[in-house]
Amino acid sequence: MTEIETPSGRVAGRVVDDDTSTVHEFTGIRYGLPPVGPLRLRPPVAVPPWTGVVDATSTPPRSIQPATMLAPAGDPEEEDCLALNVWTPDPSGSLPVMVWMHGGSFTSGSGSIAWYQGARLARRGVVVVTINYRLGALGFLDLAALGGDDWAGCANVGLQDQTLALTWVRDHIAAFGGDPARVTIFGESAGAMSVSTHLAVPASSGLFRRVIAQSGAAGHVQDTESGRRAATRALDLLGVGPSTLARLADLPTAAFRDVTNTMQNEDPDRDVPLPFRPTVDGSVLPVAPLDALASGAASHIDLLAGTNRDEMNLFRLMALLDGAAPDLEDTRLLRRLDRALARLGRHAGAETALAAYRAHHPDAGNGDLWAAVSTDTVFRMPMLAMLDAHVTGGGSAWSYHFTHASSGFGGALGASHAVEIPFVFDNLGQPGTEMMLGDVTPERQRFAADVADRWATFATADDLTDGTPGWTVPGTDEAWPAYEPDRRAQVRLDVDAAVIEAHQDDLRELWLGA
């Protein structure tokens, strides 16, 4: 056991040893009061100081959510989910801090998934924190738009949970050996969308200095009208009207799980199900994050962002395993392209877009072509747009393109969505990794160690200019080049990492213009 005195009271964790070093682990520390009853769907409230010693050795319950691959049925879940985990190699130190926000389409996941176990990353001289936050209908309804003064501030409460967790880090992390002035927030998928959205959340300003966005970007938000429609639909399913919102406090928890599940599955043609996501509400999130970045609102924040080569292969494989049709007819593929082009505001024809993708993937069937298109429209193009906006606003940015392919599932995943996570945490030995990646070879283990080193260096280095020790292309002494709109340099992350420039720029111009 190991005990630490924090500003709020004592916590008792455990010591995790390996052959080389010791890490102190604290799990299930509550940072917010249970958001139930009168606090349900309301902004979070910090846990007050306590007496005695809090046991921080158990896994906290995840947020209420439908059963998924990330949240198997039967695992503990509660509305009382506002908790976090801490791994520190030196409670007496003053180390950089890395705060992880999990993915899961804003409807599933938790900070305690085995892949996010932080001990191996912490051994690189950082304090690692993973958090839970409210999800789905309990975390991302814009009730401020419908409920009048009584519900002012009740939008984006999941984002507000994240801000409260970052505030807890500012106020408590020094007790765990962390430096609150050197915080990097990082996340994948909806977690990446979250951390990059915090670049535009005023209440989060000053709570971090760097951001790593893996397969998610700041553009994945909705406007107030879209948020109003989503909230109206959820209330309709719950049987509650704008004049009777007080009834929400007394509804059974299962009702919110059911609404989340229903709305997530209402549009089978949607690329990635995001019925719940941050809303530009004018208060918690005053302006669209891309506009905030372009105006220089986060110019003092360093940003690392990237995507995986075959993001959508994961979702395609999941659909195939669920019995979906293995391919698309030409007419349906063109219809989907038309919708995507209209959504992104481009005026190129669907036939032109299809020809461009066929040129890059001459042997692909329609299903694989659509996976390539939606990899770009859902993940890569929003990431590039975010990087361009941040640099335009005077910020510094770096980028990667992850191409290391899984050999699991007969190679069907390729370098799919989420494949990079166990490499980032150097967690190839965790449960489920071998099923996802295939054989865990010595080469892969070396690659994982290198990727985790780079992520830790990003959080640790005093600056990230050329020549910074450790801030290099993995496996080389070549400096990691900064991202600039006229060059768009990225590091291709694989066992043979290299610098690439203006990757598939013709496809970028198709969606984003010159």
Side-chain angles (χ1 to χ4, degrees), residues 328-339:
L328 292 171
E329 295 178 356
D330 288 352
T331 53
R332 192 176 181 197
L333 176 59
L334 288 169
R335 186 167 66 249
R336 284 187 171 189
L337 275 166
D338 264 329
R339 288 176 56 179

Side-chain angles (χ1 to χ4, degrees), residues 12 34 37 54 83 96 105-106 136 155 174 227 235 268 276 282 386 391 402 453 495:
V54 167
S105 300
F106 296 107
L235 293 179
F276 302 98
M386 176 176 71
V391 174
F402 191 91
D453 285 348
V495 293

Side-chain angles (χ1 to χ4, degrees), residues 33-377:
L33 290 177
V36 299
L39 294 182
R40 177 187 273 173
L41 299 163
R42 301 282 186 172
V45 177
V47 170
W50 58 83
T51 59
V53 180
V54 167
D55 178 17
T57 62
S58 59
T59 301
R62 69 195 184 200
S63 176
I64 299 299
Q65 56 195 273
T68 65
M69 183 173 63
L70 292 177
D75 283 1
E77 63 181 44
E78 298 177 15
E79 288 190 66
D80 180 12
C81 65
L82 301 185
L84 50 77
N85 309 311
V86 181
W87 291 266
T88 176
D90 181 9
S92 65
S94 183
L95 303 172
V97 182
M98 300 184 73
V99 181
W100 174 258
M101 297 184 188
H102 70 79
S105 300
F106 296 107
T107 58
S108 63
S110 84
S112 299
I113 292 172
W115 283 10
Y116 311 155
Q117 211 276 350
R120 292 181 66 84
L121 186 57
R123 288 190 172 96
R124 289 164 165 82
V126 296
V127 178
V128 177
V129 180
T130 67
I131 71 170
N132 286 352
Y133 54 95
R134 281 174 284 181
L135 300 168
L138 287 166
F140 290 92
L141 291 184
D142 183 6
L143 297 181
L146 299 174
D149 292 344
D150 288 344
W151 290 84
C154 296
N156 297 309
V157 295
L159 277 182
Q160 294 187 61
D161 293 344
Q162 295 167 0
T163 297
L164 183 61
L166 293 174
T167 303
W168 184 97
V169 168
R170 180 196 65 194
D171 296 339
H172 293 80
I173 208 64
F176 296 84
D179 181 353
R182 293 191 291 164
V183 173
T184 295
I185 58 176
F186 68 134
E188 185 267 349
S189 196
M193 298 170 195
S194 296
V195 297
S196 51
T197 296
H198 281 286
L199 291 165
V201 174
S204 299
S205 179
L207 298 178
F208 56 91
R209 68 166 184 167
R210 288 180 183 150
V211 170
I212 305 175
Q214 301 167 209
S215 303
H220 288 93
V221 296
Q222 58 188 345
D223 60 24
T224 302
E225 181 54 36
S226 179
R228 183 191 297 270
R229 288 196 302 270
T232 300
R233 173 60 177 152
L235 293 179
D236 181 58
L237 291 169
L238 290 165
V240 174
S243 63
T244 57
L245 292 183
R247 291 182 52 215
L248 292 170
D250 300 319
L251 292 179
T253 296
F256 293 92
R257 183 190 298 110
D258 292 343
V259 165
T260 299
N261 189 54
T262 296
M263 292 180 65
Q264 193 173 29
N265 292 293
E266 281 186 322
D267 183 0
D269 239 10
R270 187 168 41 212
D271 304 334
V272 173
L274 286 179
F276 302 98
R277 51 186 160 147
T279 299
V280 182
D281 65 310
S283 176
V284 176
L285 187 58
V287 299
L290 289 182
D291 292 340
L293 291 178
S295 73
S299 60
H300 58 295
I301 302 294
D302 295 323
L303 173 63
L304 171 63
T307 57
N308 299 353
R309 183 188 62 203
D310 309 307
E311 297 276 4
M312 292 302 294
N313 281 8
L314 174 64
F315 305 97
R316 178 163 162 73
L317 177 62
M318 291 169 62
L320 290 172
L321 292 175
D322 285 341
D327 218 331
L328 292 171
E329 295 178 356
D330 288 352
T331 53
R332 192 176 181 197
L333 176 59
L334 288 169
R335 186 167 66 249
R336 284 187 171 189
L337 275 166
D338 264 329
R339 288 176 56 179
L341 288 161
R343 185 175 68 248
L344 294 182
R346 306 302 303 155
H347 301 292
E351 293 280 3
T352 299
L354 181 58
Y357 277 89
R358 287 202 189 281
H360 281 278
H361 307 277
D363 300 321
N366 285 355
D368 290 331
L369 279 177
W370 179 247
V373 170
S374 49
T375 288
D376 281 353
T377 58

